[in-house]
Amino acid sequence: MEQLSAMDASFLYFETANAPMHIGSVAIYDQSTVKGGVLGFKEILKNYESRLHLARSFRQRIVRVPMSLDHPYWIEDPDFDIEYHVRHIALPKPGDWRQLCIQVARLHSRPMDTTRPLWEFTVIEGLDNVEGLPKGSFAIVSKVHHAAIDGVSGAELTAAIHDLTPDAVPEPPEKPWMAEREPSAVELLSRTSINNVRQPFKLARVVAESVPALARVGIGLSAGKLKRVGHVPRTRFNGKVSPHRVFDGRSFKLSDIRAIKSAVEGATVNDAILAIVGGALNKYLKSKNELPKDSLIAMAPISVRTKDQQKSAGNQVSAMAVAVRSDIDDPLERLVAVFESTTNSKEMTNAIGASTLTDYSQFIPSTVAGLAARLYTNLGLANRITPMFNTVITNIPGPQVPLYMTGARLVTQFGLGPILDGMGIIHPIFSYCGEITISFTSCREMIPDPDFYAQCIQDSFDEMLAATRGKHVKSSTGHRAGIARDAVPAEVAAAEAEALREKVKARPARKAATAKRKVPAQKASGKTAKLTDAVATVEAPAPTRTEAAE
């Protein structure tokens, strides 16, 4: 039995009927690589069942403390049923992209049953009329509660269900799985009393450690070396969300994104993505006559995992505010301005200390957090108070070699994320096998025309690529800032790639496949298929990490 951290538990507390707090993805597979060319649902189910021991989240469920006097605990679910978690549906004819997006949005809008392990996979077949996909392709829509994973620990799940070769087999468990009995109320309350005694001492330590950081920020602001991100304008995305969702996305070549960022000296792939999203928001809001004079502000999650925490589950995340410069029409000027904004934001984050938010989050009161979230929703406070940011843009890097699930090749992957009152749109960014996907999840009332916003993303990219081709501009900042080594942008951290690398290389592949098959940037060594330099991520801000990533 293991207790949730305060940050992990907060995703349970802040969940409401209109704002379920799960993340996920839409992974599309080509079954022509399967022996015989056809993959049945029973084979997928059997394969998943053989891999349950490879990720703790698969069979763990939460147990709540009476009266919410302390944060919940994870236990190994004695009633685990894999057929509840892995489902199977099909699209009606003709099976096009729009139908898939609508079905994905419906699945993602439904809250999860928190009395069971907090994940669901839905196999969707019938993708017979999607441009660019092989005939017979199918999708798997994943949902995993944010209380269980963040982007870094989510790499464990990715590694658990994928292989480097079509015919690889998973490593058997070292020991049989054992379910846990549910603890009694007396046991849980006894643990609570001990934790409550320790909390004041922890708080004193965190406050003492944050005083120098606050002093650094004050000195930096007064000297003009640090700048606040600016006013956060109110937009259609900053009201109360409905229970309905929309989803869509676009795919681009990673080489094109790198060409865009190279137009501005010191800029990163992250800067290019932010500028593209800023251009899309500019176009969409301008079409509604709602474009504010000030730039929209994005929140970029930052992983604060230490090296010792790479294999731990749960969330180790802070945040950085960045202006996406939606107020600038010219693509090249926007990219320069975004680079300057991210440089300033990284310097501010370094001054504060990226882990400060995470340190204070451990004191979130379990008894009132959920009540506060419900009051915030019921009173409609999102419509009355100034928003903290307008959107979330989070990068999830993936390997640059093909992956296989039950023999089927992973073709592409799009991200799904949670929205909540006051923040009604999120942009997950996935990279895999030389491409980057920019997708979005939003409220249906806020974006009633998701296909149009997806086209805005495409148009923004096209304009940015055309405007930056052959250009090389120097920014007025004169240098390139990086997040301190203990904090890299979240779900874009090189640590995620390392977690995937370590997980996969620890799993043996079939001997024949290991000896004969050659994969770019991958070498066979004995019985173990090693995923080494094959994992190339979207750039992390620390220069040392960026050089390695590129």
Side-chain angles (χ1 to χ4, degrees):
M1 186 168 69
E2 180 183 358
Q3 189 172 29
L4 278 72
S5 69
M7 179 166 284
D8 293 345
S10 68
F11 290 104
L12 293 170
Y13 303 148
F14 298 149
E15 187 169 66
T16 65
N18 286 3
M21 298 300 293
H22 50 257
I23 60 179
S25 69
V26 181
I28 299 178
Y29 297 89
D30 173 15
Q31 62 180 326
S32 66
T33 56
V34 178
K35 185 177 181 180
V38 178
L39 180 61
F41 177 69
K42 289 185 178 180
E43 283 72 31
I44 296 176
L45 196 64
K46 183 179 179 181
N47 182 48
Y48 282 175
E49 195 165 18
S50 69
R51 298 166 182 265
L52 295 176
H53 61 286
L54 298 176
R56 288 165 291 176
S57 301
F58 280 143
R59 289 184 288 207
Q60 288 184 332
R61 71 172 176 87
I62 62 168
V63 175
R64 298 181 185 269
V65 176
M67 297 176 287
S68 295
L69 293 176
D70 202 356
H71 304 311
Y73 288 82
W74 293 113
I75 67 166
E76 299 292 330
D77 184 14
D79 300 316
F80 177 76
D81 176 13
I82 191 171
E83 293 193 22
Y84 172 83
H85 296 275
V86 184
R87 295 118 184 240
H88 181 206
I89 61 176
L91 293 180
K93 297 293 184 181
D96 57 25
W97 175 253
R98 188 73 229 124
Q99 288 175 299
L100 177 63
C101 290
I102 292 171
Q103 185 60 63
V104 168
R106 287 172 180 164
L107 292 170
H108 193 66
S109 68
R110 299 169 186 167
M112 303 181 73
D113 183 354
T114 57
T115 66
R116 295 176 178 268
L118 297 176
W119 64 279
E120 296 173 7
F121 289 173
T122 303
V123 179
I124 304 178
E125 62 174 315
L127 279 62
D128 297 325
N129 196 32
V130 179
E131 184 179 354
L133 291 184
K135 288 290 184 181
S137 294
F138 65 92
I140 294 183
V141 179
S142 64
K143 293 169 57 176
V144 186
H145 203 285
H146 220 324
I149 63 169
D150 62 10
V152 176
S153 57
E156 183 182 42
L157 286 178
T158 301
I161 63 175
H162 289 99
D163 298 293
L164 296 172
T165 58
D167 54 356
V169 293
E171 181 182 5
E174 296 179 358
K175 57 183 179 180
W177 174 73
M178 297 291 292
E180 293 180 280
R181 66 172 181 84
E182 185 167 341
S184 67
V186 173
E187 289 178 279
L188 294 171
L189 292 174
S190 297
R191 289 173 178 255
T192 298
S193 62
I194 296 173
N195 290 339
N196 289 341
V197 170
R198 296 172 177 168
Q199 283 294 80
F201 299 100
K202 294 181 181 179
L203 179 59
R205 176 183 58 79
V206 171
V207 170
E209 292 175 352
S210 62
V211 169
L214 295 175
R216 288 195 299 270
V217 173
I219 294 172
L221 289 172
S222 60
K225 295 181 179 179
L226 298 177
K227 298 178 183 179
R228 293 183 176 87
V229 71
H231 171 68
V232 181
R234 175 170 291 282
T235 68
R236 63 168 53 212
F237 308 122
N238 298 115
K240 186 175 179 180
V241 299
S242 75
H244 311 295
R245 298 290 177 267
V246 291
F247 157 81
D248 208 329
R250 288 291 185 270
S251 176
F252 309 104
K253 291 181 180 179
L254 179 57
S255 58
D256 285 341
I257 300 294
R258 285 178 171 159
I260 289 173
K261 67 95 177 175
S262 298
V264 177
E265 184 174 322
T268 67
V269 166
N270 293 331
D271 297 330
I273 294 294
L274 289 169
I276 291 169
V277 173
L281 291 168
N282 170 292
K283 293 178 180 297
Y284 187 80
L285 293 176
K286 188 180 289 185
S287 72
K288 311 293 183 184
N289 296 318
E290 297 174 5
L291 181 66
K293 294 181 179 179
D294 296 321
S295 171
L296 272 66
I297 305 299
M299 188 271 275
I302 299 173
S303 174
V304 293
R305 286 175 183 269
T306 64
K307 188 174 182 179
D308 296 336
Q309 296 171 325
Q310 294 307 320
K311 295 184 179 180
S312 62
N315 294 266
Q316 298 286 339
V317 177
S318 186
M320 179 176 73
V322 181
V324 298
R325 303 317 306 259
S326 57
D327 56 324
I328 299 177
D329 291 334
D330 183 83
L332 184 56
E333 290 180 14
R334 187 186 319 119
L335 179 59
V336 172
V338 165
F339 169 58
E340 294 173 350
S341 174
T342 56
T343 299
N344 176 72
S345 296
K346 292 167 189 174
E347 291 175 344
M348 177 72 80
T349 300
N350 286 336
I352 296 173
S355 62
T356 300
L357 177 61
T358 306
D359 292 339
Y360 276 99
S361 72
Q362 61 187 302
F363 306 108
I364 295 173
S366 57
T367 51
V368 299
L371 176 62
R374 290 190 292 274
L375 285 175
Y376 180 80
T377 295
N378 294 339
L379 297 177
L381 295 181
N383 296 320
R384 304 180 186 180
I385 64 176
T386 301
M388 298 180 64
F389 42 84
N390 303 109
T391 183
V392 172
I393 302 176
T394 176
N395 293 348
I396 301 94
Q400 299 304 305
V401 295
L403 295 181
Y404 299 86
M405 187 280 304
T406 323
R409 180 176 64 88
L410 176 62
V411 178
T412 189
Q413 194 170 22
F414 295 83
L416 295 165
I419 59 172
L420 61 155
D421 291 343
M423 197 288 294
I425 184 170
I426 182 172
H427 297 83
I429 316 298
F430 273 39
S431 63
Y432 167 69
C433 252
E435 73 168 10
I436 284 185
T437 58
I438 302 177
S439 55
F440 64 91
T441 306
S442 186
C443 169
R444 194 170 69 194
E445 306 299 323
M446 295 177 178
I447 298 188
D449 45 1
D451 52 340
F452 173 62
Y453 182 62
Q455 187 59 46
C456 289
I457 295 175
Q458 181 69 55
D459 293 343
S460 178
F461 165 81
D462 292 341
E463 291 178 2
M464 185 73 69
L465 185 61
T468 56
R469 185 173 285 118
K471 300 292 180 63
H472 186 77
V473 178
K474 287 189 177 181
S475 167
S476 60
T477 60
H479 71 286
R480 174 177 175 176
I483 296 292
R485 288 184 64 87
D486 64 340
V488 286
E491 322 208 72
V492 70
E496 290 180 279
E498 182 65 25
L500 178 61
R501 184 184 302 121
E502 291 297 324
K503 192 68 180 178
V504 174
K505 79 178 184 181
R507 207 182 323 139
R510 195 183 297 273
K511 291 184 180 179
T514 304
K516 297 178 181 179
R517 181 175 177 82
K518 293 184 179 180
V519 180
Q522 176 189 336
K523 296 181 180 179
S525 176
K527 297 181 180 180
T528 304
K530 295 183 178 181
L531 184 59
T532 54
D533 297 334
V535 179
T537 72
V538 183
E539 294 162 296
T544 54
R545 294 181 185 271
T546 301
E547 292 166 6
E550 290 196 326

